[in-house]
Amino acid sequence: MAFRRDGLLMRNNGHSLRGSRIAAAIAIGVLLGCIFAFLYPHGFFAHNPQTTPSLSKAGSVACDPSEMVKLLKSDIVALSEKNIELRKKVRDLTEKLRLAQQRNGLAQQQVVVLGEQHKAGPFGTVKSLRTNPTVLPDESVNPRLSKILEEVAIRKELIVALANSNVRGVLEVWLNSIKRVGITNYLVVALDDATETFCKSNDVPMYTRDPDKDVDSIGRTGGNHAISGLKFRVLREFLQLGYSVLLSDVDIVYLQNPFDYLYRDSDVESMTDGHNNMTAYGFDDVFDEPSMGWARYAHTMRIWVYNSGFFFIRPTVPAIEVLDRVADRLAKKNEWDQAVFNEELYIPSHPGYTGPHASKRTMDFYLFMNSKVLFKTVRKDSRLKNLKPVIVHLNYHPDKLPRMRAVVEFYVNGKKDALDPFPDGSE
């Protein structure tokens, strides 16, 4: 038993001695580490002090734990900022890749359609490709707007109007006519606080854009033409989200649902400023130059412009390109948006210029009626007076509000002489 006790004592003494040696070794290691950190702040090998800021500063503060914590915190902040920047670059690159893939996918679709070779059919039976494919919807463009459109649109279609407080009276007549017809898929883009308040108080589907210095300055103070020019920038997001838009100025009276009269076979389907078959749909206009002798007569094609205050636009690549081109030109130069809109649609590709190749259709000018047709022709024709248009656009006359009210009296309330007090044109 004595032998066993001696053995246990010797083992305990051995463990104590070994523990003391380990503790001494740790203490010496820590001391040496501090000394080397002070003498060789960048280590034994060459290091770039800019890439290791905390190590480069460690020597100056020796082994002060509080200073080390501060340095580590500053490094964490710097790395966090760098991480945010890198994540933004990744998002940008991802978006560029997605767009490239989308363009490639659309190109492949067109190759599939156009690349298939077919024999031409009998005379009079051959039909070309008219309708461009729609873009892939991208909800990341504007998730808030996407949610609104999901609730408002019907079959991915809706009426969109831009308005501020300067057109309040006209907006009220426009809104009442839409409700009277029973149209529910419409949205007002409120450009100022007063219009936003008005829409909310009258239970009107409404959308306010995110702050934009250039758009907001025009939207809050601009008149009818100034607001009209904004739509080409605003509509882009609607199309990117995959929605077809019937863009509407507010100086319009709705008498029927326009969605029942659309063809939907073109990128842009627009009402015309023309007032008869020739001016609305085009005609051969002969230019006479007597000095040319035998070749004095030159045949030209003329057509009156589309009205940029009422058109149906589908979410296609050519349609979005038209919006981009018009918005870009209006941002660079003070031009009339309607003139620019028509130039981008009609001017053909030629040396030094490539058009957007957008397909277009002109609406029936008796159904989608401008105010020149109404006041100069229709109201004076006993047969045409019985025709009920889909809309009447008071685009030709500056006294919009009284004429809009007269249109309501004539077509809705049946007051046959409601249009009589007004002249054909403006006074």
Side-chain angles (χ1 to χ4, degrees), residues 156 190 240 264 344:
K156 305 284 282 188
Q240 283 184 277
R264 301 175 176 84
E344 293 299 337

Side-chain angles (χ1 to χ4, degrees), residues 287-344:
F287 177 76
D288 184 9
E289 190 175 2
S291 63
M292 288 297 294
W294 177 81
R296 64 181 291 179
Y297 299 111
H299 290 260
T300 69
M301 287 301 300
R302 290 192 63 187
I303 187 171
W304 287 31
V305 296
Y306 283 161
N307 189 286
S308 62
F310 191 87
F311 60 85
F312 181 73
I313 186 165
R314 297 175 59 247
T316 66
V317 169
I320 294 174
E321 185 178 358
V322 169
L323 294 181
D324 287 351
R325 288 182 180 219
V326 176
D328 182 62
R329 285 181 57 179
L330 294 176
K332 294 177 179 177
K333 189 177 179 181
N334 184 22
E335 298 182 84
W336 185 26
D337 67 281
Q338 182 161 294
V340 176
F341 177 58
N342 279 272
E343 287 174 2
E344 293 299 337

Side-chain angles (χ1 to χ4, degrees), residues 224-238:
N224 193 48
H225 280 300
I227 293 175
S228 184
L230 290 179
K231 57 178 166 271
F232 298 98
R233 294 178 61 175
V234 174
L235 287 183
R236 193 185 205 278
E237 290 183 337
F238 288 79

Side-chain angles (χ1 to χ4, degrees), residues 148-366:
I148 295 173
L149 296 182
E150 287 177 4
E151 299 175 356
V152 174
I154 297 177
R155 293 187 294 274
K156 305 284 282 188
E157 298 176 344
L158 75 160
I159 296 171
V160 174
L162 282 68
N164 64 12
S165 55
N166 291 337
V167 294
R168 172 70 172 274
V170 173
L171 175 62
E172 290 180 0
V173 178
W174 177 88
L175 180 60
N176 290 335
S177 71
I178 279 185
K179 291 182 176 181
R180 187 184 304 112
V181 173
I183 300 170
T184 58
N185 53 329
Y186 68 96
L187 185 72
V188 174
V189 179
L191 299 175
D192 58 18
D193 296 337
T195 305
E196 180 181 357
T197 301
F198 168 78
C199 290
K200 288 180 178 178
S201 62
N202 289 275
D203 196 26
V204 176
M206 177 269 304
Y207 166 65
T208 55
R209 301 180 72 252
D210 292 332
D212 185 317
K213 181 180 179 181
D214 295 331
V215 173
D216 292 345
S217 61
I218 299 174
R220 286 190 168 89
T221 60
N224 193 48
H225 280 300
I227 293 175
S228 184
L230 290 179
K231 57 178 166 271
F232 298 98
R233 294 178 61 175
V234 174
L235 287 183
R236 193 185 205 278
E237 290 183 337
F238 288 79
L239 269 59
Q240 283 184 277
L241 293 170
Y243 289 84
S244 296
V245 173
L246 184 57
L247 187 281
S248 173
D249 281 353
V250 292
D251 58 338
I252 291 175
V253 176
Y254 286 78
L255 301 168
Q256 299 187 65
N257 192 327
F259 292 105
D260 296 336
Y261 295 87
L262 297 176
Y263 285 82
R264 301 175 176 84
D265 63 348
S266 304
D267 297 310
V268 177
E269 192 170 345
S270 178
M271 75 171 293
T272 174
D273 272 0
H275 57 92
N276 55 31
N277 285 336
M278 290 177 61
T279 57
Y281 309 136
F283 64 100
D284 178 21
D285 185 30
V286 180
F287 177 76
D288 184 9
E289 190 175 2
S291 63
M292 288 297 294
W294 177 81
R296 64 181 291 179
Y297 299 111
H299 290 260
T300 69
M301 287 301 300
R302 290 192 63 187
I303 187 171
W304 287 31
V305 296
Y306 283 161
N307 189 286
S308 62
F310 191 87
F311 60 85
F312 181 73
I313 186 165
R314 297 175 59 247
T316 66
V317 169
I320 294 174
E321 185 178 358
V322 169
L323 294 181
D324 287 351
R325 288 182 180 219
V326 176
D328 182 62
R329 285 181 57 179
L330 294 176
K332 294 177 179 177
K333 189 177 179 181
N334 184 22
E335 298 182 84
W336 185 26
D337 67 281
Q338 182 161 294
V340 176
F341 177 58
N342 279 272
E343 287 174 2
E344 293 299 337
L345 283 173
Y346 277 102
I347 292 180
S349 298
H350 56 264
Y353 172 80
T354 301
H357 303 294
S359 58
K360 50 195 175 292
R361 170 182 282 275
T362 305
M363 293 176 172
D364 186 318
F365 69 90
Y366 280 129

Side-chain angles (χ1 to χ4, degrees), residues 371-372 375-376 379-380 396-399 403 421-427:
S371 55
K372 181 176 182 176
F375 285 97
K376 190 174 181 180
R379 68 168 175 169
K380 301 175 183 179
Y396 270 98
H397 298 89
D399 51 337
R403 288 186 187 249
F422 299 93
D424 289 353
S426 58
E427 294 180 339

Side-chain angles (χ1 to χ4, degrees), residues 370-386:
N370 62 59
S371 55
K372 181 176 182 176
V373 174
L374 175 62
F375 285 97
K376 190 174 181 180
T377 305
V378 171
R379 68 168 175 169
K380 301 175 183 179
D381 188 303
S382 59
R383 187 170 50 88
L384 292 175
K385 285 174 72 173
N386 295 323

